[in-house]
Amino acid sequence: MGASVVLGACSNNNNEASPSPSASASTSASAGASASAAPAELTPQTFTFLNYSNPSWPYDANWKIWSYIKEKTGVTLDIQLPAGNLLEDAISLAIAGGDMPDIMWTQEKRLADKFGQQGALVNILDYVDDMPNFKAWMAKYPAETQNMLSSDGKMYEFPNQGLGESNRRTWMYREDVFKKLNLSTPKTWDELYETLKKLKAEYPESYPLTVRNGLRYFEDFAAGFGVSAPVDAQRASAYLDGATGEWKYAPVQPAYKDMLVYFNKFYKEGLIPKDFLTIDTKMWQDIVSTNRAFVTLDYIGRIDFYNSALRKDNPDFSMNFMAPPAGPSGLQKNAFTAVTEEGFMISSKSKKIKDIVKFIDFFYSDEGHELVSWGKEGDTVSGDSFIEKYTDISDLRKKTGLSTDGTYTWFDFNAHISVSSPELKSAYEQAPQFDNAKTSTPPFTPEEQQVLSTKGDSLNSHRDENFAKFIMGTRSFDTWDKFVEEQKKLGYEEILEIYKKSGRARESGREVSNKRNKQ
Amino acid sequence: MALFRLKLNRSKYLLLLFLPALVYYILFKYVPMFGILISFKDYNPFKGIWQSDWVGLRYYSMFFHSPDFPKLLRNTVLLGVYKVVFGFPAPIVLALLLNEVRKGIVKRLVQSISYLPHFISNVVVVSMLFLFLSPTSGLVNHVVEWMGYSSINFMQNENYFRTLYILSEIWQHIGWETIIYLAALSAIDPQLYEAATVDGASRWHQLRHITVPGIMPAIVILFILNIGHVLDIGFEKVLLMLNPSIYSTADVLSTYVFRTGIQAMNYSYGTAIDLFTSVVNLLFILTANWISRKTSETSLW
């Protein structure tokens, strides 16, 4: 580590014609495998960077992470924040205005694909030879790399690994209440129904199963029925069927109906809130914290969020990990949500592209991995634990800036686990065994994207409207076949065909690159 | 020429007062109009408006052939018409009632209280709706249950959406919109009332034959202007109230443009729909103005 600092300090050779890739490769090789060298050729310089500021840990220029990055790479990031915190708008404005920052952060890959194919972003694959660490990383994480490709085979956003784990969602339950009533956690959806009924009988004012965000988490519920697919306004409910390896459309599957039948029963008997479609984060938190919900499904970190906040007044309060109940066919699964699409993009108009890729290459070195996850040895971290005691992840983020937006790409999730409570730690250990197969949306061409967002919108709003009606009982399940017919008329088959086609294209692309790697 | 200069000189202060408005309209209304070009192009922000490829009427036909088009148009027009039918007379009635109030302090108090909701943001108004109307903890439903009925799921029932939207809209803006009528009322010559009293006209007669005709020009002008906004449904309020169970009545053009045009980044498509909305609005306002000119003396132009 010390060696690279020295190298960084006396790096004045950058102005000679751009250093050859082989030269930088040899420096990294000589530094050893465990701590490959920082891009020592970089002189102190500044890149403009359009970043996102998360309201839960708002951007702070004094965070330690920025000085760490500068120390290791010589780079000062001149950070611009999007007006009104609307990153997407800020990026398209910057592109349309022709005055793009050197680097931009995105939360969604579709944005990178769209603007990349329009010519606004650098194709990262053109610069792989300048990025020895990234090259090695891609060989280590082929799936993460492939999933970041655009439909034209290029790559406009840097792939990430590690922090996706914080997006993991899981079932949770009130362990203390279950113990008090002598209930065991439900093993199946039928048991879930019985358990919720018992809870309701004991607490008539409660809605034993409460989740937020309307129909969004039906993606997770559906995993037990083998039909887990996104249910949001922007995406079609297509899923890759494990048995056949084919893309299928979830809402028309009989198993989906089975799940909606359960929810219809839940609704009728008051086991879910009557206004379940409009429960927002605040209402959900109110209901959970006032002992009116005992089973919920959300981001895994919420275990600590509730426990640390509510134990002050109610020392017995215990929210804990619950294994997913098995669906009718015995499937005991959670949707695979441990992914994030956040990452760096580089402006094609930047004059410093060569320097920027070298800068970002640092984030793919073992040293960079260590630095963005744990900070600096002796300053924030000692061995494999943080020096200061942080109450939770957001405390860590707010105090140091570690793992906030725009500071990472390859992340060691053990850093997060180390600040978790014993309950959350054990949840992290148990959760992966229930993971559904990991699938990712295939990349679409701009034409396909347009069909998905216009025709797809009619399909999605019809889907959501009718899910709501089936659950609330305003539409009878006798008309299920008619619903399937309506969805067909709105063109789910065309949408599905797009998924199949792009899925196949990605598969064949994978084979080509595998062959290339073997040669 | 000399005459022109004389006129210019005479009205230079008026023109100076007019200048900010002129600059505003040129900068924020006329210049952006150039952007409607992108509705005929496959807009690529990186290439810019000029360099993007022409696609003719592709986005218009895409919209007219969308299966949601009839539903969106119906919802938008109905909501707009209800807003005019119920929302337009409300401030007139309130203004007339206020005009009859004799105690100045009562009048001023009512006025101030009815103005206040105008300054509450839509986000707050909609969350108030959710809070008061919640079937689990809402005040309204407590009353409903106390009267022996079972609680009503107001916000998740498509039949209540329009009523709730219009009622809350009236509550928000009624006080504010009375201002202009109260101003028109104060301009009526008091001698007319004195003469009428001498002739033995009752208060009702005075209202019918002096007050209402006195503010009629204001009513007609505001009506025509309102007609021009029939399809401009306040987008954020609908969006905030929107949830899947009420799509069939609540999904309107502007929320659709937000989803498919802005969020999904089909800027050309969104612009095409917005231009269509504006054309329809223009037709409405032209028709209203034409009818008004034929039947009364008041019109916009």
Side-chain angles (χ1 to χ4, degrees):
Chain A
M1 220 179 247
S4 66
V5 175
V6 175
L7 279 173
C10 59
S11 54
N12 291 324
N13 53 348
N14 191 44
N15 294 343
E16 306 162 20
S18 69
S20 69
S22 60
S24 62
S26 66
T27 36
S28 73
S30 68
S34 62
S36 46
E41 305 86 355
L42 285 167
T43 43
Q45 55 184 325
T46 300
F47 301 136
T48 49
F49 179 29
L50 179 59
N51 196 5
Y52 178 73
S53 169
N54 190 312
S56 307
W57 35 89
Y59 166 78
D60 184 346
N62 296 320
W63 274 336
K64 285 177 175 169
I65 182 70
W66 305 122
S67 55
Y68 296 159
I69 289 175
K70 189 178 156 103
E71 209 171 283
K72 295 289 179 194
T73 62
V75 169
T76 308
L77 290 167
D78 173 11
I79 291 184
Q80 309 168 0
L81 296 176
N85 228 352
L86 302 167
L87 183 61
E88 210 177 299
D89 291 3
I91 293 173
S92 45
L93 266 179
I95 291 171
D99 187 25
M100 273 186 280
D102 298 318
I103 313 174
M104 289 168 278
W105 185 252
T106 181
Q107 295 173 303
E108 286 176 276
K109 175 178 177 273
R110 67 182 181 104
L111 218 75
D113 285 355
K114 170 125 187 166
F115 292 131
Q117 295 192 13
Q118 290 180 343
L121 304 173
V122 163
N123 173 17
I124 294 157
L125 298 181
D126 290 345
Y127 294 88
V128 168
D129 286 341
D130 296 314
M131 294 186 279
N133 292 314
F134 182 52
K135 207 170 182 177
W137 188 92
M138 287 200 294
K140 198 170 168 190
Y141 295 102
E144 279 78 2
T145 307
Q146 284 289 336
N147 288 342
M148 213 32 107
L149 292 182
S150 165
S151 62
D152 56 5
K154 298 177 178 170
M155 183 189 281
Y156 302 110
E157 181 190 340
F158 280 94
N160 70 74
Q161 197 278 329
L163 201 55
E165 193 64 31
S166 66
N167 283 344
R168 182 183 282 285
R169 292 196 295 259
T170 177
W171 289 80
M172 305 164 210
Y173 77 114
R174 277 290 297 277
E175 196 181 11
D176 53 328
V177 175
F178 272 56
K179 263 199 190 126
K180 204 174 101 191
L181 300 181
N182 217 358
L183 294 170
S184 54
T185 53
K187 300 276 176 298
T188 64
W189 274 74
D190 282 330
E191 281 184 39
L192 174 69
Y193 173 56
E194 295 303 326
T195 311
L196 295 176
K197 272 211 294 201
K198 283 179 197 154
L199 287 161
K200 178 83 181 179
E202 200 67 31
Y203 300 92
E205 294 287 294
S206 74
Y207 297 95
L209 173 64
T210 302
V211 296
R212 58 177 170 154
N213 293 336
L215 297 169
R216 273 255 296 284
Y217 295 165
F218 276 57
E219 176 178 5
D220 307 76
F221 293 132
F225 297 80
V227 287
S228 168
V231 187
D232 77 48
Q234 297 294 329
R235 289 190 292 166
S237 295
Y239 70 103
L240 195 61
D241 184 40
T244 59
E246 275 279 314
W247 283 95
K248 286 190 175 172
Y249 188 63
V252 299
Q253 306 297 328
Y256 220 97
K257 182 185 167 189
D258 293 344
M259 180 180 70
L260 293 178
V261 169
Y262 275 108
F263 275 95
N264 174 243
K265 274 199 285 190
F266 294 173
Y267 181 83
K268 271 192 300 206
E269 300 182 28
L271 307 179
I272 56 174
K274 273 191 165 181
D275 45 356
F276 68 101
L277 287 169
T278 51
I279 298 276
D280 60 12
T281 301
K282 188 179 175 305
M283 292 162 87
W284 171 67
Q285 288 175 359
D286 285 351
I287 292 175
V288 171
S289 58
T290 51
N291 302 320
R292 283 183 290 148
F294 311 105
V295 180
T296 188
L297 188 154
D298 214 89
Y299 292 97
I300 195 165
R302 287 286 178 167
I303 291 177
D304 272 7
F305 171 85
Y306 281 120
N307 285 341
S308 63
L310 294 168
R311 274 183 192 160
K312 279 173 212 142
D313 294 329
N314 177 8
D316 293 332
F317 187 99
S318 176
M319 183 64 87
N320 214 336
F321 170 84
M322 183 174 111
S329 58
L331 212 55
Q332 201 181 9
K333 291 284 182 201
N334 276 324
F336 186 82
T337 53
V339 278
T340 171
E341 291 188 351
E342 300 198 33
F344 294 106
M345 310 183 293
I346 306 176
S347 155
S348 62
K349 282 200 174 162
S350 172
K351 293 193 175 57
K352 307 171 188 160
I353 296 173
K354 284 256 173 189
D355 290 336
I356 294 169
V357 295
K358 282 195 201 95
F359 163 63
I360 293 180
D361 188 53
F362 168 74
F363 290 86
Y364 289 100
S365 66
D366 287 333
E367 196 188 352
H369 180 234
E370 189 86 6
L371 182 84
V372 301
S373 314
W374 295 93
K376 195 168 146 190
E377 179 71 31
D379 196 11
T380 54
V381 66
S382 154
D384 54 3
S385 61
F386 287 105
I387 293 169
E388 197 180 327
K389 283 276 157 277
Y390 301 105
T391 53
D392 56 13
I393 311 288
S394 63
D395 189 39
L396 164 75
R397 280 173 158 144
K398 274 188 272 191
K399 285 181 178 149
T400 62
L402 289 168
S403 77
T404 59
D405 303 72
T407 65
Y408 64 87
T409 178
W410 186 27
F411 194 82
D412 179 5
F413 198 70
N414 287 324
H416 274 202
I417 294 181
S418 79
V419 286
S420 307
S421 69
E423 283 106 333
L424 185 53
K425 266 183 201 158
S426 120
Y428 276 124
E429 280 162 23
Q430 296 174 62
Q433 57 177 308
F434 302 108
D435 275 349
N436 221 347
K438 186 174 175 179
T439 54
S440 71
T441 319
F444 304 112
T445 65
E447 293 75 30
E448 290 168 342
Q449 194 67 56
Q450 196 167 66
V451 175
L452 288 175
S453 59
T454 52
K455 286 211 167 167
D457 183 77
S458 310
L459 188 68
N460 295 346
S461 50
H462 178 265
R463 170 198 70 196
D464 293 352
E465 183 181 342
N466 285 285
F467 281 1
K469 285 187 171 160
F470 281 123
I471 294 170
M472 292 162 69
T474 45
R475 182 168 186 170
S476 154
F477 282 104
D478 298 340
T479 63
W480 179 262
D481 292 338
K482 206 166 155 274
F483 164 70
V484 172
E485 199 51 44
E486 288 161 10
Q487 286 270 292
K488 199 172 186 168
K489 235 186 235 159
L490 288 171
Y492 82 75
E493 282 160 330
E494 187 186 345
I495 304 281
L496 201 55
E497 205 43 56
I498 292 177
Y499 273 78
K500 285 180 183 167
K501 208 178 113 214
S502 333
R504 275 195 300 269
R506 183 167 64 182
E507 281 308 309
S508 59
R510 206 165 269 175
E511 275 158 32
V512 171
S513 71
N514 282 346
K515 265 184 218 151
R516 209 184 289 145
N517 284 348
K518 272 175 204 150
Q519 278 165 4
Chain B
M1 197 63 209
L3 189 70
F4 175 73
R5 208 172 293 153
L6 186 73
K7 270 191 177 166
L8 197 69
N9 193 39
R10 203 167 48 200
S11 47
K12 61 182 176 220
Y13 295 111
L14 287 176
L15 285 171
L16 200 65
L17 281 175
F18 170 68
L19 194 65
L22 183 72
V23 170
Y24 169 82
Y25 273 91
I26 289 176
L27 223 54
F28 294 105
K29 301 284 171 186
Y30 285 95
V31 173
M33 248 189 232
F34 159 74
I36 61 177
L37 264 186
I38 69 170
S39 73
F40 305 101
K41 289 185 156 213
D42 183 11
Y43 176 55
N44 174 336
F46 183 65
K47 284 190 194 166
I49 294 177
W50 283 119
Q51 302 300 319
S52 300
D53 304 321
W54 290 99
V55 294
L57 296 174
R58 188 170 98 199
Y59 292 109
Y60 292 88
S61 94
M62 222 165 98
F63 175 55
F64 296 139
H65 289 106
S66 156
D68 283 336
F69 173 66
K71 179 188 87 179
L72 293 167
L73 194 65
R74 188 190 66 229
N75 286 346
T76 313
V77 169
L78 274 182
L79 208 55
V81 167
Y82 287 158
K83 211 170 121 184
V84 171
V85 169
F86 298 104
F88 183 71
I92 303 175
V93 173
L94 182 67
L96 292 177
L97 289 174
L98 280 173
N99 195 41
E100 299 298 318
V101 174
R102 298 225 180 134
K103 275 217 160 55
I105 182 147
V106 177
K107 188 174 167 182
R108 279 199 297 277
L109 193 71
V110 173
Q111 258 184 292
S112 315
I113 290 175
S114 63
Y115 286 169
L116 283 179
H118 181 78
F119 301 100
I120 302 178
S121 94
N122 279 324
V123 181
V124 177
V125 172
V126 174
S127 49
M128 281 164 70
L129 281 177
F130 275 115
L131 276 177
F132 286 131
L133 300 175
S134 157
T136 53
S137 55
L139 185 69
V140 175
N141 270 313
H142 281 313
V143 175
V144 170
E145 277 173 357
W146 177 74
M147 294 195 308
Y149 299 96
S150 61
S151 68
I152 303 165
N153 211 344
F154 287 105
M155 301 303 277
Q156 273 176 225
N157 187 328
E158 75 251 44
N159 298 321
Y160 285 109
F161 168 73
R162 290 191 185 115
T163 315
L164 290 173
Y165 180 85
I166 302 291
L167 280 180
S168 58
E169 196 75 0
I170 291 175
W171 175 76
Q172 272 180 284
H173 302 299
I174 189 167
W176 184 255
E177 284 165 2
T178 53
I179 295 179
I180 204 151
Y181 296 113
L182 288 172
L185 283 167
S186 69
I188 298 174
D189 190 347
Q191 288 183 21
L192 290 174
Y193 291 106
E194 283 161 23
T197 323
V198 172
D199 289 346
S202 69
R203 287 196 78 90
W204 175 246
H205 281 119
Q206 290 180 22
L207 180 79
R208 267 184 62 194
H209 298 289
I210 302 171
T211 317
V212 173
I215 60 169
M216 203 37 131
I219 293 179
V220 172
I221 293 289
L222 282 173
F223 184 73
I224 296 171
L225 287 176
N226 263 292
I227 290 287
H229 290 288
V230 163
L231 293 195
D232 291 345
I233 299 298
F235 140 85
E236 43 174 40
K237 202 168 142 194
V238 180
L239 188 76
L240 289 163
M241 292 172 76
L242 204 60
N243 67 72
S245 55
I246 60 168
Y247 267 137
S248 58
T249 55
D251 201 12
V252 294
L253 286 171
S254 50
T255 48
Y256 180 75
V257 169
F258 177 71
R259 280 202 312 275
T260 59
I262 309 286
Q263 284 193 312
M265 298 186 291
N266 298 312
Y267 300 124
S268 296
Y269 187 55
T271 311
I273 301 172
D274 262 356
L275 186 61
F276 164 77
T277 315
S278 303
V279 169
V280 175
N281 275 335
L282 184 67
L283 288 179
F284 270 116
I285 202 170
L286 286 175
T287 320
N289 194 57
W290 180 77
I291 293 173
S292 164
R293 213 170 39 199
K294 290 279 165 196
T295 54
S296 72
E297 273 119 61
T298 332
S299 71
L300 278 179
W301 61 85

